[in-house]
Amino acid sequence: MDATTEPIVAVVGYPIAGNPTQFALETGLEAAGIDCRIFSINLSPDSTADALIGMAAMNFAGVWVARSSMAPVQKWLAEDLDQASSVDFLIPPCGKSAKQPRDWKTFKLKAEAWPKLVATHLAVSDYSLKKVILAGGPNSRIQVLSTGKKGSGKQETGQEGNAEVAVNETAIEGKPGSSASLGIQAAFLKECQAQLGKVFGELTESDVEPFRRPPTHAEITNRLNELADDEGVLVVLGPDADRTAWNASMNSIPRRTVVVDLNGAWEPMDVAHAEHLKASSDGHLIRSLDIHAQCLSSLVKQLFESTVAAEVFQEAIDEYLAV
């Protein structure tokens, strides 16, 4: 890139209105004294390929992909859509290779960020993880519920990676129901153990339980009652988890419980509910905006080899959403 030209980072989504990423990035870059321009672009699915190629041709420094544009971007990249570990940041190539998706640098910052935040919390807590609940929606597929990749396990349908997961929607007491659910469990553990073996290393597939809906306070407590006093539960709310059901059923998070919210929605009701849980719970909540702030900190490190604390982005996101 021409040293006399300010770097440009695009934030793409469909729709992009209401997304705090541009404001948060501008705030963090200003704090670090980094001269960069951030553009928010409403990127329709049918124009994704042309737009990305154009950004590469114009020497954009990077592209942040909001959840609302992940599906068409993943399709262009020819990767399976796994919303829990989707590509969320791109660095385009320079020169003639710009039209080839394989030549772009891709990053899954969210998939790297949230396990590290879990580990940070557990490092100062008085318990270790012994149980994981993966909570999706009524139409959840394996790639939504896990951070695994295609081919992580053959399913009952005979397909690999993309099979529907047969999880009982209502009667969820006891052990996970079908052998199809093992694909989720194995893929989840493989990803997490590769990044944080010390935190997830002792978990087995039988310790990971997939739900088609968010668990209630009582259901989490029942599982805690089966564990020792120094053992806890991790609840992962997938991107398509039913926010209305979660907000209605969860007034506090039990002690020895960590909840990770991968939804990434910025609705005022969801933000207010998360703030309530943070303030009133004995357990710990890692909000989607906490994860987002950590991702933006990693983005700046990747682009500019400069460190901006995630707290700077957190404060900016809170300020933006409070307006």
Side-chain angles (χ1 to χ4, degrees):
M1 181 178 292
D2 186 345
T4 63
T5 303
E6 297 164 337
I8 299 174
V9 174
V11 179
V12 300
Y14 190 74
I16 196 62
N19 190 297
T21 303
Q22 176 177 342
F23 178 78
L25 265 178
E26 289 173 340
T27 302
L29 292 173
E30 181 180 0
I34 298 172
D35 194 7
C36 181
R37 294 294 175 266
I38 314 297
F39 293 157
S40 291
I41 301 173
N42 203 52
L43 185 62
S44 62
D46 58 357
S47 63
T48 297
D50 290 340
L52 292 175
I53 292 170
M55 292 175 198
M58 291 186 287
N59 292 326
F60 277 37
V63 182
W64 172 264
V65 184
R67 182 190 168 203
S68 54
S69 277
M70 279 184 178
V73 169
Q74 294 279 122
K75 182 179 180 181
W76 183 70
L77 292 169
E79 294 191 8
D80 289 333
L81 179 61
D82 176 347
Q83 290 181 324
S85 62
S86 293
V87 169
D88 42 33
F89 181 52
L90 307 170
I91 295 180
C94 297
K96 293 184 293 185
S97 63
K99 293 184 179 181
Q100 301 297 328
R102 65 177 178 271
D103 294 322
W104 289 54
K105 293 182 181 179
T106 59
F107 301 87
K108 297 183 177 182
L109 300 181
K110 178 182 287 188
E112 296 175 359
W114 73 260
K116 292 179 181 178
L117 291 174
V118 172
T120 298
H121 168 70
L122 291 175
V124 297
S125 71
D126 58 355
Y127 64 92
S128 59
L129 291 183
K130 188 57 181 175
K131 184 78 174 177
V132 179
I133 296 174
L134 299 178
N139 299 313
S140 293
R141 297 171 64 86
I142 184 169
Q143 66 266 35
V144 174
L145 287 174
S146 79
T147 57
K149 296 179 176 62
K150 182 178 180 181
S152 58
K154 192 169 185 178
Q155 309 303 311
E156 289 181 341
T157 60
Q159 298 174 340
E160 294 191 5
N162 291 333
E164 291 286 351
V165 180
V167 181
N168 194 319
E169 187 173 354
T170 53
I172 55 177
E173 293 294 332
K175 295 185 179 298
S178 71
S179 61
S181 67
L182 294 178
I184 289 179
Q185 297 158 300
F188 175 86
L189 288 177
K190 181 179 180 180
E191 282 287 308
C192 291
Q193 288 171 351
Q195 296 179 53
L196 291 168
K198 292 182 179 180
V199 176
F200 298 96
E202 296 184 1
L203 294 174
T204 66
E205 284 88 345
S206 62
D207 299 321
V208 182
E209 186 173 1
F211 280 30
R212 281 190 180 273
R213 57 172 174 78
T216 64
H217 188 284
E219 288 163 344
I220 296 172
T221 301
N222 287 343
R223 283 147 181 80
L224 287 168
N225 290 338
E226 298 172 355
L227 304 178
D229 290 341
D230 60 349
E231 296 174 336
V233 172
L234 169 66
V235 178
V236 181
L237 296 178
D240 69 336
D242 187 339
R243 303 296 309 186
T244 302
W246 173 254
N247 293 349
S249 65
M250 188 62 61
N251 289 321
S252 66
I253 299 170
R255 198 181 79 81
R256 293 188 288 129
T257 303
V258 186
V259 176
V260 175
D261 185 356
L262 297 178
N263 184 268
W266 311 109
E267 296 297 328
M269 184 176 296
D270 297 332
V271 174
H273 182 251
E275 291 176 350
H276 165 74
L277 289 179
K278 290 275 283 188
S280 63
S281 298
D282 294 326
H284 186 66
L285 171 65
I286 298 174
R287 303 171 296 173
S288 59
L289 67 86
D290 299 326
I291 300 169
H292 196 61
Q294 188 65 49
C295 289
L296 297 184
S297 179
S298 298
L299 182 157
V300 172
K301 186 72 173 178
Q302 290 288 347
L303 281 180
F304 305 107
E305 296 184 353
S306 181
T307 300
V308 180
E311 289 76 15
V312 174
F313 298 106
Q314 282 181 345
E315 292 176 3
I317 293 170
D318 284 329
E319 179 184 344
Y320 181 91
L321 296 176
V323 175

